[in-house]
Amino acid sequence: MKLGLQLGYWQRNADDATESVLAAERLGYDSVWTAEAYGSDAFTPLAWYGARTSRIKLGTSVAQLSARPPVTTAMTAMTLDHLTGGRLLLGVGASGPQVVEGWYGRPFAKPLARTREYVEIMRKVWRREEPVTSEGPHYPLPLAGGLGKPLKLITHPLRPDIPIYLGAEGPKNVALAAEVAQGWLPLFAFPSKIEEMYGEALAGASAGFDIAAMVMVVISDDVRAALDGVKLMLTLYIGGMGAKHRNFHADIIGRMGYAEAAEHIQALYLAGRKDEAFRAIPDELADGISLVGPPGRIKERLELWRKSPVTSLLVMGPRDEPSLKLIRDLVLG
């Protein structure tokens, strides 16, 4: 199992994680990942860390499709991959309608078809076999009725096959990742339930397909307080990260077997009763998607992840070198 450091979003108060990234590289972590929603972008912090490191792989988890046309993402990825010596892992995702329509002002309809078309165009850009065209309805190239003509990337990519990962939660989107990408980035993974939830969707994955699961890690002798930290995060995602009738995070919790709880949590949250929503999250759910407690307990629960299809653990939470070293020792031995 490979080990990565999930940094999440860059925050405004000088949240420079360079020391954490350098520590992760020294400790043998395979990768470091950044995110975006409607604040920082994913690529700028990654370029910052890439300029200060030499070995660790650099992943976006995830760059949002609606933030950029596919050729823009392809150019950005090519540039960053070149500058860092071929270390980029390009994670992309469709996000949800609240962000896509509310922030980017783009339609959210047909996310699977848009994702497929997006990935195909990026690969055409990197291969440079011919001027890029696309007959798809979502990203037509060149634009019909105008003066544009098919163009080919001026710069030769360092790699014509930059690895693509898809951020996906629904079974159909996971199946698409297995079909067109090199990896899948699940935000919430319950290791003992992955086969039941996604076994059929993952059946078509090629050898070497990387399931890089984000997992919140809290090292503490106080298991109750550690679980509460996970539950606080879940409260926001289940309750408020999505529209009332279209919240993909609540949907995935439902598919884990907590549909009634997810519906109740969301209703409480949207009614402004956030403390009650927090208390309504089952401990079993919070414990199942995370690694919390003293080192011995974390080591024991790691066995569930080792027995699952997960091939990379992307650690969320710890930033200091001693904690990163402890996690490294527990995961890698």
Side-chain angles (χ1 to χ4, degrees):
M1 183 176 287
K2 292 179 290 187
L3 189 59
L5 175 62
Q6 172 69 40
L7 296 176
Y9 313 108
W10 176 86
Q11 302 294 333
R12 63 184 177 87
N13 295 321
D15 183 23
D16 183 357
T18 297
E19 291 306 314
S20 299
V21 176
L22 290 173
E25 182 169 66
R26 285 194 298 270
L27 292 168
Y29 278 60
D30 181 70
S31 57
V32 59
W33 301 74
T34 55
E36 64 185 15
Y38 41 96
S40 65
D41 75 290
F43 290 104
T44 305
L46 207 60
W48 180 262
Y49 303 134
R52 287 155 175 76
T53 54
S54 59
R55 181 200 59 79
I56 198 165
K57 294 173 187 172
L58 307 159
T60 56
S61 179
V62 296
Q64 296 173 316
L65 301 187
S66 297
R68 308 162 187 88
V71 294
T72 305
T73 300
M75 290 192 302
T76 305
M78 177 277 297
T79 306
L80 186 52
D81 193 57
H82 238 307
L83 289 171
T84 58
R87 289 189 280 148
L88 182 65
L89 303 172
L90 180 61
V92 296
S95 190
Q98 278 196 326
V99 172
V100 171
E101 297 174 359
W103 186 244
Y104 297 117
R106 305 298 300 166
F108 182 74
K110 300 184 177 178
L112 293 177
R114 285 191 291 112
T115 301
R116 180 185 296 277
E117 196 174 321
Y118 203 100
V119 170
E120 288 174 354
I121 291 172
M122 290 197 298
R123 291 215 165 105
K124 285 183 178 181
V125 170
W126 298 329
R127 287 196 298 263
R128 292 189 79 255
E129 293 173 348
E130 57 188 3
V132 178
T133 61
S134 175
E135 297 180 358
H138 305 288
Y139 307 102
L141 291 172
L143 185 66
L147 299 177
K149 66 175 185 178
L151 298 171
K152 187 161 66 172
L153 188 67
I154 297 171
T155 308
H156 288 257
L158 182 65
R159 296 186 294 172
D161 57 349
I162 295 171
I164 295 175
Y165 287 61
L166 293 189
E169 292 180 302
K172 291 182 179 179
N173 209 3
V174 173
L176 180 64
E179 178 189 349
V180 305
Q182 281 81 29
W184 167 39
L185 293 160
L187 174 59
F188 299 128
F190 202 121
S192 61
K193 298 176 183 285
I194 293 175
E195 288 281 6
E196 176 187 348
M197 294 172 66
Y198 299 111
E200 186 176 341
L202 292 168
S206 60
F209 185 78
D210 189 17
I211 300 177
M214 291 166 256
V215 56
M216 191 169 181
V217 178
V218 184
I219 303 168
S220 172
D221 290 332
D222 189 340
V223 176
R224 173 73 270 155
L227 282 174
D228 284 349
V230 180
K231 290 171 72 170
L232 191 63
M233 178 267 293
L234 282 170
T235 304
L236 172 62
Y237 276 87
I238 298 172
M241 293 291 277
K244 181 178 181 180
H245 301 295
R246 199 164 191 183
N247 182 326
F248 299 122
H249 308 304
D251 290 346
I252 192 176
I253 298 303
R255 287 193 292 273
M256 288 177 181
Y258 302 94
E260 187 175 333
E263 184 177 354
H264 183 52
I265 292 160
Q266 187 184 47
L268 290 170
Y269 189 96
L270 294 177
R273 298 156 64 182
K274 296 180 182 178
D275 289 343
E276 292 178 65
F278 167 82
R279 291 194 295 272
I281 294 176
D283 284 350
E284 179 187 334
L285 169 61
D287 205 18
I289 66 164
S290 65
L291 287 166
V292 303
R297 185 178 192 273
I298 292 175
K299 182 178 181 179
E300 179 181 332
R301 294 192 65 80
L302 268 170
E303 290 307 307
L304 296 172
W305 294 87
R306 297 189 199 283
K307 293 175 182 177
S308 79
V310 171
T311 48
S312 294
L313 279 183
L314 309 185
V315 174
M316 298 187 291
R319 293 283 189 91
D320 62 286
E321 186 161 358
S323 295
L324 293 175
K325 183 178 185 300
L326 175 59
I327 295 165
R328 189 276 312 269
D329 293 344
L330 290 173
V331 174
L332 302 182

